[in-house]
Amino acid sequence: MNINTRIRYVLKPLVFVLALLPAAFVVTDLFEITGRLGANPVEEILDRFGNWGLRFMMLALAVTPLRRVTGLAWIARFRRMIGLFAFFYIAMHFAVWLVLDQGLYLPGIGEDIAKRPFITIGMLALVLLTAMALTSTAGMRRRLGKRWNQLHTSAYAVGILGVWHYWWQVKADILEPLIYAVILSALLGHRLWHRRARSQGVTPRLRANQGAG
Amino acid sequence: MLIRKPNPIRSSEITSKDNYLNRREFIRAGAASGAIAGASLSAPAALAAVIPDEPLAKLADIRKPSPFSTDETLTSYDDVTTYNNFYEFGTGKDDPHRNARDFEPQPWSIKVDGHAENTGTFHLEDFVKPHTLEERIYRMRCVEAWSMVIPWVGIPLADVLKALKPTSKAKFVAFETLYDPKRMPGQRRRVLDWPYREGLTIAEAMHPLTILAVGLYGEVLPNQNGAPLRLVVPWKYGFKGIKSIVRIRFMSRMPQTSWNLSAPHEYGFYANVNPEVDHPRWSQARERRIGSGLFAAKQPTLMFNGYAEEVASLYDGLDLRRNY
């Protein structure tokens, strides 16, 4: 099996199944097969989906730096799938908030989006992510050309908004959002460093020849 | 920003004061045992400790039902004891029940100081024994917009405070939680400015709804719920219910409180449950009743958590929007 076959028929399905596990555990924990959702299951599901959304967002943003550092070009082929899983978990996070937390109570939902800055920025991140997910096909990418790159650069904005959204709702213990912020800073820092190195004429080991570099 | 108050333990390390307090304790213990001897002639069971030094032991002679109790469906024992905030044992809501397992709540003493005649250090048993244990089934509304119905066992705080004889200068009562990072692992990180501090106006403290709880569901208070002695003020947000109390201080001025120190624009001194005054980051209009199930709607939050009839008069003329 060459590397392409292995990625397509072994690694990608494997990553796909692994990425679905957190969602599967929500279901099996709900029925107390694998664990429990605890006294406040709505909050627990909401937190789990939100957390996994952030984790996949960090992973998606880590693809390019990782590819540059390791020199393994094939890593980039997982970026779309990881990004779509970030979208999946954040969309689930939003759906759980809408249906289970707010109970589709529209006045409360409207007021929260307008009045609570952390919800407003969360919504903004979701809108950007949805636009990226809808244009993630090869066909859309071809059709949008340069604008595709511009649109998909908002992955950085989504990362920042996501961590901010988390940070802003914590009561006192900022440790977890701080960890995300440190990881995000490292990922964005790497890109800035890379861009600067390139503009100063230092040839990076691997040129970013596709997508938002 | 760390505002450090002088460490209260320091002064008691001075030998002369230590001896002084010991002497008082000794006298008090003698008086208490005399009282027990008298009572035991008619009721030998009274010799048993009011708060047994045995986890989750049954509490005896609980007066119930109380006219202050609600008849709403109780939150399950499991939920009450596995889901709560007690940052001394971690900031996750399932941390307290896991990290407080090995906590030893006895022996326990409570230091009373400030504007009162009867100050000093009291053993828990002496503190509680003169009063009748009562069951009080109260709604508990957390500032995070979830709520429970909890059958506490405790004594009215007013009874305890009256026995301590506050002077006319006492306008507020301040409380402090134990500070001992060896026993309370959550204190090893400076998430809040330890020790946890809370306070009430003297009128709030003397209100018949306010209790010092020593039990839950007829049993000794579990560690994660604030053993061995905690405050319960049902018309205020849950964080006012300070746990594992080691100090009660009568003050002439409004005491500092932990959450107010941590985020003054979000948590005020009064912290009365109020559906019309939102937390800056979330609505307080509705609440999720724990145990109501995955698809249950949130329910409307009531003014003063449904205790308006009893307590609203305490705040006549006070702007509740400003004094949140």
Side-chain angles (χ1 to χ4, degrees):
Chain A
M1 262 201 297
N2 67 19
I3 180 104
N4 282 333
T5 328
R6 237 183 295 164
I7 286 172
R8 193 160 176 192
Y9 295 105
V10 182
L11 279 177
K12 274 198 172 177
L14 189 70
V15 171
F16 187 89
V17 170
L18 285 177
L20 272 177
L21 283 181
F25 274 119
V26 167
V27 178
T28 53
D29 284 355
L30 178 64
F31 294 105
E32 307 200 346
I33 298 162
T34 41
R36 294 187 59 220
L37 294 175
N40 195 345
V42 177
E43 180 191 58
E44 176 72 18
I45 298 173
L46 195 63
D47 287 356
R48 283 200 205 178
F49 282 144
N51 256 312
W52 282 104
L54 264 182
R55 284 171 197 157
F56 278 104
M57 203 59 224
M58 298 294 122
L59 281 174
L61 288 170
V63 166
T64 299
L66 211 61
R67 191 199 57 186
R68 287 196 187 117
V69 170
T70 61
L72 300 170
W74 57 267
I75 292 176
R77 294 175 56 180
F78 288 86
R79 191 172 60 176
R80 178 167 68 181
M81 189 200 277
I82 293 170
L84 282 169
F85 268 108
F87 169 70
F88 167 70
Y89 281 105
I90 288 167
M92 290 298 283
H93 174 70
F94 176 67
V96 169
W97 176 73
L98 218 58
V99 179
L100 297 183
D101 187 67
Q102 296 292 316
L104 292 173
Y105 177 70
L106 292 174
I109 293 164
E111 196 190 293
D112 268 3
I113 293 173
K115 266 177 76 177
R116 320 277 163 215
F118 86 90
I119 294 180
T120 317
I121 60 175
M123 285 302 302
L124 187 60
L126 179 63
V127 168
L128 290 172
L129 208 50
T130 307
M132 287 170 67
L134 290 176
T135 56
S136 64
T137 61
M140 282 307 274
R141 186 169 178 172
R142 228 180 5 257
R143 252 168 280 161
L144 288 170
K146 234 186 187 151
R147 281 183 300 157
W148 190 92
N149 277 1
Q150 284 166 355
L151 176 63
H152 284 246
T153 312
S154 47
Y156 308 133
V158 172
I160 293 168
L161 290 170
V163 173
W164 192 5
H165 168 77
Y166 186 18
W167 192 300
W168 215 337
Q169 60 191 298
V170 165
K171 267 170 79 194
D173 186 3
I174 52 141
L175 182 65
E176 279 185 42
L178 184 66
I179 292 170
Y180 282 113
V182 168
I183 294 170
L184 185 66
S185 308
L187 295 174
L188 297 185
H190 174 86
R191 282 177 164 81
L192 288 177
W193 169 82
H194 184 263
R195 185 184 288 182
R196 220 177 120 224
R198 204 165 44 173
S199 70
Q200 285 173 355
V202 183
T203 316
R205 197 140 52 120
L206 264 160
R207 290 207 64 118
N209 53 6
Q210 47 177 319
Chain B
M1 186 186 65
L2 307 175
I3 304 167
R4 285 213 75 150
K5 288 187 19 164
N7 191 337
I9 295 163
R10 289 275 153 71
S11 65
S12 67
E13 279 165 4
I14 301 162
T15 317
S16 60
K17 182 154 187 190
D18 230 355
N19 284 341
Y20 172 72
L21 291 175
N22 282 340
R23 180 182 59 91
R24 294 182 64 140
E25 265 171 46
F26 179 74
I27 293 164
R28 222 170 250 125
S33 63
I36 295 163
S40 68
L41 292 174
S42 52
L47 273 170
V50 175
I51 306 170
D53 183 12
E54 181 196 333
L56 312 186
K58 273 256 171 286
L59 292 165
D61 304 323
I62 302 168
R63 187 200 290 165
K64 61 181 170 184
S66 163
F68 294 115
S69 288
T70 169
D71 55 7
E72 285 162 84
T73 309
L74 300 183
T75 304
S76 75
Y77 183 83
D78 202 36
D79 285 349
V80 174
T81 55
T82 59
Y83 184 85
N84 68 331
N85 285 312
F86 193 177
Y87 278 21
E88 281 75 354
F89 291 104
T91 54
K93 269 180 278 292
D94 56 349
D95 285 343
H97 89 100
R98 284 190 279 111
N99 298 336
R101 209 164 281 162
D102 299 328
F103 182 74
E104 301 265 1
Q106 294 216 48
W108 194 267
S109 56
I110 299 114
K111 183 180 168 184
V112 176
D113 57 357
H115 299 294
E117 287 173 29
N118 220 345
T119 57
T121 301
F122 299 83
H123 286 299
L124 175 69
E125 191 69 11
D126 300 335
F127 211 67
V128 176
K129 189 165 275 197
H131 313 287
T132 309
L133 294 181
E134 287 182 45
E135 184 180 74
R136 297 283 182 95
I137 304 170
Y138 284 159
R139 289 177 288 276
M140 202 285 292
R141 170 62 157 79
C142 177
V143 76
E144 297 166 359
W146 52 267
S147 64
M148 294 182 174
V149 178
I150 305 175
W152 301 107
V153 178
I155 50 180
L157 179 61
D159 293 357
V160 175
L161 297 190
K162 279 173 198 156
L164 299 171
K165 297 200 167 102
T167 68
S168 61
K169 281 187 186 164
K171 304 283 188 246
F172 295 91
V173 187
F175 303 86
E176 261 178 43
T177 295
L178 173 71
Y179 177 67
D180 189 346
K182 282 202 197 84
R183 295 163 71 194
M184 297 183 143
Q187 291 174 333
R188 291 170 205 165
R189 284 178 53 218
R190 216 177 165 80
V191 185
L192 290 170
D193 186 9
W194 312 114
Y196 195 85
R197 277 160 278 171
E198 259 308 336
L200 298 170
T201 66
I202 197 89
E204 292 170 335
M206 290 291 188
H207 193 280
L209 278 171
T210 309
I211 61 166
L212 283 175
V214 296
L216 185 71
Y217 267 96
E219 297 172 357
V220 166
L221 199 60
N223 293 338
Q224 63 269 33
N225 295 88
L229 186 75
R230 65 163 295 166
L231 184 68
V232 177
V233 197
W235 71 93
K236 290 177 180 285
Y237 290 119
F239 69 85
K240 293 295 286 185
I242 184 169
K243 304 178 181 83
S244 306
I245 298 166
V246 292
R247 187 181 184 195
I248 297 178
R249 188 176 183 191
F250 293 93
M251 297 175 74
S252 58
R253 294 164 75 175
M254 188 180 277
Q256 290 184 315
T257 58
S258 288
W259 278 104
N260 181 245
L261 286 171
S262 168
H265 60 291
E266 298 189 338
Y267 310 101
F269 172 80
Y270 290 96
N272 292 318
V273 175
N274 188 340
E276 284 150 33
V277 178
D278 285 342
H279 186 282
R281 289 178 288 154
W282 57 80
S283 165
Q284 295 292 26
R286 296 184 302 143
E287 65 198 50
R288 177 167 302 288
R289 182 58 58 83
I290 298 300
S292 62
L294 203 56
F295 298 101
K298 288 186 181 178
Q299 57 188 70
T301 290
L302 303 174
M303 189 65 204
F304 294 112
N305 201 22
Y307 298 96
E309 208 177 295
E310 291 91 343
V311 301
S313 62
L314 291 175
Y315 308 100
D316 280 344
L318 194 74
D319 181 353
L320 294 175
R321 200 159 280 278
R322 191 164 297 172
N323 298 283
Y324 49 91

